[in-house]
Amino acid sequence: MKMRKNIGAILLVLLLGACSDVLDLEPTDKLSGQALFSDPAGVKLYMANLYYQLPIEDFTYFRNGFRINGGDPNNGGFAPAMQTDEAVHSEFGDFIGDGDFNWWEQSYKLIRDVNLLIDIIPTLDIAEEDRNMIVGEAAFIRAYTYFELAKLYGGVPLILSSQNYEGEVESLKVPRSTEADTWNFIMEECDVAIANLPESWQGGERRGTRWAAYALKSRAALHAASIAKFGNKAPLSGTAVDQKLIGLEASLASPYYEACIEASEAIMNAGVFSLYKPDPASPEEAAENYRELFQDPNIAPMEAIFIKGFARPGNETGHNYNIWYQPAQTANGWPHPGRMNPTLEFVDLYESYDNPGESDPIETTVSGDIEDYNGFDPAKEYLHFSNPYEIFAGKDARLWGTVVLPGTPWKDQQIIIQAGYVKPDGEAVIRLSDQITVDGTVYYTYGGPNPNTYSGFDPFGGNNTRTGFGFKKFLDQRTPVSPGWNQGTTDFMDFRYAEILLNYAEAVLESGMGDATRAAQAMNDIRRRAGHTVAIPLTLENLMRERRVELAFENKRYWDLIRRREYHIIFNQKRMHALFPLLDLRTSPPQYIFVRSFVPNVNPRTFDYKWYYRPIPGIGANELVQNPQY
Amino acid sequence: MKTYKIVMILLSFALYACELDNFDMPDAALSGRIIDAQTGELVEQDIIRGTNIELTEHGYDPVASQYLIVKNDGTYENSLLFSNTYTVQPVRGNFIPVESQEINISGNTVLDFTVTPYIRILDASVVKEGSKVVATFRLEQNVTNNVRKVGLYVHSEASVGEPLRIVAVENEINAVVDPNQVFTLEVDLPSNSATLQAGEQYFFRIGALIDVGEAKLNYVPAVRLGV
């Protein structure tokens, strides 16, 4: 009994002791900000999470969002390029919907994560130099994030520090800033990043650098300037317009173009960057250089300004470009290859070496008519070719580095892309499975006896191109594809030197500011790298062609159409075009002819004005002003 | 077994959470016409990317507006509205903008808008001449802005228009037009043989666009022709 009493008393004493700070323990399953950021490894860890969330439009960016590479990320491989004039999907024909290109919640999650970091920076007990680097990195990430938001939605709520919920939800609601204020904030954040970030990271980590921040500013300023200059080509109305939440005054074009010129010049003057293999000996060499640059951008540190790495195969770390877009013949057992089909209008765009400064559309007939998409006409005199790629001879090397052309080699196979044949009696069999024996030889409409032996036009599985072209850029030629989800590990160049040169040239040309000679030189340097030897003048047509060709499939075209307000003009009942290679059995030996056609089974596409800005989700709860017409 | 019972009991509780939907379904309709104040005729429209009628229902804040698409012939109808007071205004139209109005919608409410179209297309004629389809017309402007373009649009559907066409022949004007000037637009049939197949019927429609922000084209009714 006494024993018990004693124990009770001791316990009581202990309880009294609880009134001191004995129980104010640091939780053992959580790290304090101080502990985390005082350790360089902790900073790295936190930063890795922020970079992971960064809206980089890389190989995991699709119309349904960013980082589509977790688990079974089956979205059909529907890349943004397929909603521009660069490509169509082999199976699906649909166009932009209200649900596409939305990135609202995730962006504000990332902004909160950055703001938590920014709030804690002043309290950290670290060296001044380290503090500056964190300040710069946080600003870079926040600028990058708000840039994506501004592109999608116009003016957005600028949340500059982490919010705390204290039982009062109204205080958390931040109204939208004007589009001008949003862009200005992005410019200011870029400047903070530029002032504080190092030129490179010890150990070569892929983190934001001063140059990446300049590159971001170059891209963002060009976007803003374009909206100011071209916004009136597609006017909108409504509350969001009245409150200037979308749209920029035309007078703002000049300062933004100037900002683009300055940021681009900083990179051009740094002496750090140059074009990869700028002076090829032949077009063949140029084509291979260009292809290798995207197969592995790490070979080109002089060109790559900011690389997103895909470190290892697996969910959240690999990507699916290699399986979605491989020609059917090299699918290596993967059941859904061949989704990216470059269009004929894209192929038409390229220059030929013998006619610099002009797009050289593919001529298929003696008369040279390129406006006829009416299909095979037996009365027409078609040009004949002994192999299916001779028709592309003399075209810009980058065509060969970007697109798998009919009959060209890929991974030690000849990629067969054939739409049909013309029988000796003149009857054409197009996009139908058929075979015929002529002079003892069996010919197949698709160029082979079964779906493993060709990559074009057979609707089987949606695995074959329906435009006549396969996709090559970014794909790794060196290894057979691993036939599973998220096995691709090609790294992605987000910013590269060529884009900066093109941004600079466009800003100079559109604004009349800057050095026009240097801008023309920048454009022609890129053409020289592609094997061109004749410089062409800096005109809008030449520059925009160069931009589309050089940056093809880098997810730039969508934004170029948006910012220059050209989407609704080009996509007004737009029908996409294809090139049908046919084997002409009327000649002996058989030769190839080509027919310019509409892409089969794709509806005409019309861009709605309201799509220049995306709908903001959840306005019933967040009480934001919605963008027009949603 | 015991677990099973517990789950069953919990599930039966869950059922209590369900109530019958206690809201009435939409019971009201709004319909009407867009009428040219001078001629009394319907003002022809586009079915996509065309004039909308903006409906904002009262009693909710915030509230998202609804947009009602106007039919090609200039009539409109929405038969699934809740009875309530609404602010109604045609927006992004092909006529001089009209003020919004508050109306009480219940039963079958009819609301016509009397408007002045930006452009009237007069003396319109679309005929087949040999291997061509030829449209001639004059324009009467009701505002002083430039006429941006005129066009002849072709589609297999009667709802043909500038944003719904398989063939278009357009002429950029960018000027104020003389009401006596006769415009001519021609569709060459042989060079469009894949899209306009011989022996088939197609709809041809003349349109004209004023240079006003967000303005839509003005039209005459489509004409059906065999090619």
Side-chain angles (χ1 to χ4, degrees):
Chain A
M1 191 64 200
K2 196 179 178 192
M3 184 72 169
R4 273 207 188 161
K5 249 187 191 169
N6 282 347
I7 292 175
I10 290 165
L11 281 175
L12 272 174
V13 169
L14 282 179
L15 278 174
L16 286 172
C19 295
S20 72
D21 52 7
V22 166
L23 283 185
D24 287 349
L25 293 174
E26 291 290 328
T28 53
D29 61 339
K30 287 179 183 152
L31 272 173
S32 73
Q34 185 66 43
L36 183 66
F37 292 106
S38 301
D39 180 352
V43 175
K44 256 190 184 174
L45 203 64
Y46 197 82
M47 287 296 178
N49 177 36
L50 298 185
Y51 281 111
Y52 174 68
Q53 297 180 63
L54 204 59
I56 299 175
E57 296 177 359
D58 55 29
F59 301 131
T60 63
Y61 168 66
F62 292 88
R63 65 171 174 173
N64 54 333
F66 292 88
R67 304 195 307 281
I68 308 298
N69 65 337
D72 169 356
N74 194 348
N75 58 0
F78 205 111
M82 297 162 184
Q83 294 181 324
T84 71
D85 43 11
E86 287 181 332
V88 295
H89 192 279
S90 59
E91 237 181 335
F92 308 143
D94 52 331
F95 196 42
I96 300 168
D98 286 357
D100 296 337
F101 301 114
N102 275 323
W103 191 68
W104 184 267
E105 274 184 47
Q106 289 153 299
S107 64
Y108 279 102
K109 280 180 190 163
L110 172 54
I111 287 166
R112 178 173 173 79
D113 283 353
V114 187
N115 283 338
L116 285 169
L117 170 62
I118 288 173
D119 290 348
I120 208 170
I121 291 172
T123 69
L124 295 180
D125 181 21
I126 52 175
E128 201 56 29
E129 189 190 351
D130 294 333
R131 189 192 310 277
N132 289 345
M133 291 193 332
I134 298 179
V135 167
E137 220 167 357
F140 175 73
I141 289 166
R142 206 158 63 165
Y144 202 114
T145 308
Y146 274 107
F147 175 35
E148 189 65 35
L149 281 169
K151 284 195 291 184
L152 290 167
Y153 304 105
V156 294
L158 297 177
I159 297 175
L160 306 181
S161 59
S162 61
Q163 297 177 305
N164 286 320
Y165 176 63
E166 284 156 355
E168 173 59 69
V169 84
E170 288 302 314
S171 66
L172 299 178
K173 292 180 180 173
V174 179
R176 295 174 71 181
S177 292
T178 64
E179 177 155 3
D181 285 348
T182 304
W183 285 110
N184 289 339
F185 174 69
I186 294 163
M187 296 293 117
E188 287 161 17
E189 287 286 272
C190 285
D191 290 338
V192 174
I194 289 165
N196 288 287
L197 281 171
E199 293 191 14
S200 65
W201 291 88
Q202 284 181 343
E205 298 127 282
R206 295 179 185 126
R207 298 165 72 167
T209 61
R210 179 174 305 162
W211 310 121
Y214 271 125
L216 174 62
K217 192 176 181 188
S218 164
R219 186 187 285 173
L222 184 66
H223 195 107
S226 309
I227 288 171
K229 182 162 182 177
F230 302 112
N232 62 4
K233 286 170 76 179
L236 293 164
S237 63
T239 315
V241 178
D242 298 340
Q243 297 183 7
K244 301 189 190 302
L245 306 181
I246 58 168
L248 295 175
E249 305 276 341
S251 63
L252 290 174
S254 281
Y256 286 128
Y257 278 126
E258 197 176 4
C260 173
I261 290 171
E262 281 176 14
S264 307
E265 272 177 345
I267 296 171
M268 292 158 71
N269 294 339
V272 179
F273 297 101
S274 60
L275 293 173
Y276 172 68
K277 296 196 175 173
D279 202 16
S282 66
E284 290 72 30
E285 197 183 303
E288 192 59 7
N289 292 347
Y290 185 77
R291 190 189 65 74
E292 286 177 346
L293 177 61
F294 302 101
Q295 175 177 276
D296 181 7
N298 300 299
I299 62 172
M302 73 296 286
E303 173 138 6
I305 298 173
F306 190 53
I307 290 180
K308 162 91 173 262
F310 290 89
R312 60 178 187 274
N315 294 346
E316 329 288 346
T317 58
H319 64 78
N320 294 305
Y321 257 47
N322 50 344
I323 51 172
W324 283 129
Y325 304 140
Q326 200 75 216
Q329 283 165 266
T330 55
N332 197 25
W334 175 253
H336 315 294
R339 263 55 190 165
M340 185 85 89
N341 304 164
T343 59
L344 178 57
E345 38 271 80
F346 172 69
V347 172
D348 277 347
L349 196 63
Y350 288 83
E351 295 171 71
S352 284
Y353 290 108
D354 57 8
N355 190 15
E358 299 284 337
S359 287
D360 185 18
I362 308 297
E363 291 181 10
T364 61
T365 59
V366 173
S367 69
D369 178 14
I370 53 163
E371 290 302 322
D372 184 353
Y373 296 101
N374 296 329
F376 175 75
D377 178 354
K380 262 199 171 151
E381 207 179 331
Y382 288 95
L383 297 171
H384 283 75
F385 300 91
S386 58
N387 67 52
Y389 51 86
E390 193 185 338
I391 192 170
F392 308 103
K395 290 271 265 180
D396 192 308
R398 288 167 292 186
L399 173 62
W400 300 76
T402 303
V403 169
V404 176
L405 297 167
T408 55
W410 173 251
K411 292 190 175 179
D412 301 325
Q413 281 205 51
Q414 193 195 9
I415 302 303
I416 309 293
I417 298 173
Q418 186 178 314
Y421 52 51
V422 185
K423 291 180 182 175
D425 64 5
E427 187 200 343
V429 184
I430 300 174
R431 296 182 57 244
L432 291 168
S433 190
D434 194 15
Q435 65 182 74
I436 188 172
T437 306
V438 179
D439 296 337
T441 310
V442 184
Y443 296 98
Y444 301 92
T445 41
Y446 296 127
N450 60 60
N452 298 325
T453 56
Y454 51 77
S455 301
F457 292 102
D458 185 351
F460 171 79
N463 296 349
N464 298 297
T465 174
R466 52 175 164 171
T467 60
F469 304 105
F471 185 63
K472 183 188 280 187
K473 196 169 177 176
F474 309 116
L475 301 188
D476 194 332
Q477 191 173 20
R478 298 166 297 189
T479 51
V481 57
S482 304
W485 293 120
N486 310 319
Q487 300 299 304
T489 53
T490 325
D491 292 340
F492 180 80
M493 258 187 298
D494 185 22
F495 294 110
R496 64 186 179 104
Y497 190 54
E499 185 204 341
I500 302 305
L501 294 179
L502 291 165
N503 291 352
Y504 175 75
E506 186 179 337
V508 168
L509 189 63
E510 292 288 0
S511 70
M513 294 182 285
D515 183 343
T517 311
R518 194 179 188 193
Q521 179 74 38
M523 177 183 72
N524 282 306
D525 283 350
I526 299 172
R527 291 179 65 256
R528 174 70 200 101
R529 189 257 294 269
H532 290 276
T533 51
V534 181
I536 57 174
L538 182 71
T539 64
L540 193 61
E541 192 190 348
N542 282 342
L543 181 65
M544 286 299 124
R545 181 199 315 112
E546 188 55 29
R547 187 175 174 91
R548 287 174 67 183
V549 162
E550 175 66 25
L551 304 179
F553 295 99
E554 295 176 35
N555 292 327
K556 300 290 181 293
R557 179 66 178 155
Y558 176 83
W559 294 117
D560 289 349
L561 290 169
I562 293 277
R563 70 184 167 86
R564 297 182 63 86
R565 296 295 191 257
E566 288 173 351
Y567 234 131
H568 70 286
I569 297 167
I570 294 174
F571 282 86
N572 187 352
Q573 291 283 292
K574 166 88 179 133
R575 297 188 72 185
M576 313 301 287
H577 298 146
L579 189 68
F580 288 0
L582 304 180
L583 191 62
D584 190 351
L585 301 169
R586 294 172 298 185
T587 57
S588 183
Q591 289 189 307
Y592 291 92
I593 61 172
F594 295 83
V595 181
R596 297 174 67 93
S597 303
F598 294 111
V599 177
N601 310 330
V602 176
N603 289 328
R605 295 169 171 190
T606 298
F607 185 90
D608 201 335
Y609 304 99
K610 68 177 181 180
W611 291 337
Y612 282 115
Y613 292 97
R614 308 305 304 167
I616 293 176
I619 58 156
N622 60 30
E623 295 184 34
L624 297 176
V625 176
Q626 183 57 283
N627 280 330
Q629 303 177 43
Y630 287 108
Chain B
M1 196 59 204
K2 195 178 175 191
T3 320
Y4 174 77
K5 272 186 185 160
I6 292 171
V7 168
M8 287 310 292
I9 290 165
L10 283 175
L11 271 177
S12 57
F13 276 119
L15 283 175
Y16 274 98
C18 303
E19 255 178 66
L20 283 178
D21 190 340
N22 56 350
F23 291 101
D24 294 327
M25 63 177 287
D27 57 350
L30 177 70
S31 64
R33 302 171 296 167
I34 297 177
I35 301 166
D36 185 333
Q38 187 178 316
T39 65
E41 291 171 4
L42 288 167
V43 179
E44 290 266 317
Q45 302 292 338
D46 269 318
I47 194 80
I48 56 172
R49 246 166 53 168
T51 306
N52 285 179
I53 293 174
E54 187 179 59
L55 297 177
T56 310
E57 190 170 359
H58 289 204
Y60 300 92
D61 184 33
V63 61
S65 294
Q66 308 176 50
Y67 295 101
L68 215 162
I69 290 166
V70 180
K71 284 186 249 182
N72 263 58
D73 62 1
T75 64
Y76 73 95
E77 178 175 9
N78 183 344
S79 55
L80 280 177
L81 288 168
F82 292 102
S83 297
N84 203 340
T85 307
Y86 290 79
T87 301
V88 183
Q89 184 181 26
V91 290
R92 300 184 291 278
N94 56 3
F95 43 83
I96 297 170
V98 294
E99 292 292 307
S100 66
Q101 45 188 301
E102 277 184 25
I103 61 161
N104 188 20
I105 298 175
S106 63
N108 286 321
T109 304
V110 175
L111 179 64
D112 292 343
F113 299 96
T114 307
V115 302
T116 303
Y118 286 126
I119 301 173
R120 283 191 197 95
I121 300 172
L122 306 174
D123 300 339
S125 140
V126 182
V127 290
K128 192 179 167 202
E129 291 179 6
S131 65
K132 286 179 175 165
V133 172
V134 180
T136 55
F137 55 94
R138 292 187 299 114
L139 298 183
E140 176 186 297
Q141 291 187 228
N142 295 319
V143 288
T144 54
N145 304 50
N146 284 347
V147 172
R148 271 177 64 188
K149 66 177 180 185
V150 294
L152 177 60
Y153 304 100
V154 192
H155 201 277
S156 49
E157 295 292 328
S159 44
V160 56
E162 193 257 5
L164 187 74
R165 83 287 181 97
I166 49 176
V167 171
V169 177
E170 295 185 323
N171 192 356
E172 298 281 331
I173 307 289
N174 292 318
V176 175
V177 300
D178 174 354
N180 295 314
Q181 185 186 349
V182 175
F183 293 89
T184 305
L185 294 168
E186 296 179 348
V187 174
D188 182 52
L189 297 174
S191 64
N192 291 290
S193 63
T195 33
L196 304 181
Q197 280 155 7
E200 295 291 320
Q201 300 270 324
Y202 293 95
F203 291 90
F204 294 77
R205 196 176 185 205
I206 301 165
L209 180 62
I210 198 78
D211 193 357
V212 172
E214 291 195 295
K216 302 299 186 292
L217 284 85
N218 291 98
Y219 293 101
V220 287
V223 175
R224 190 176 194 184
L225 291 176
V227 303

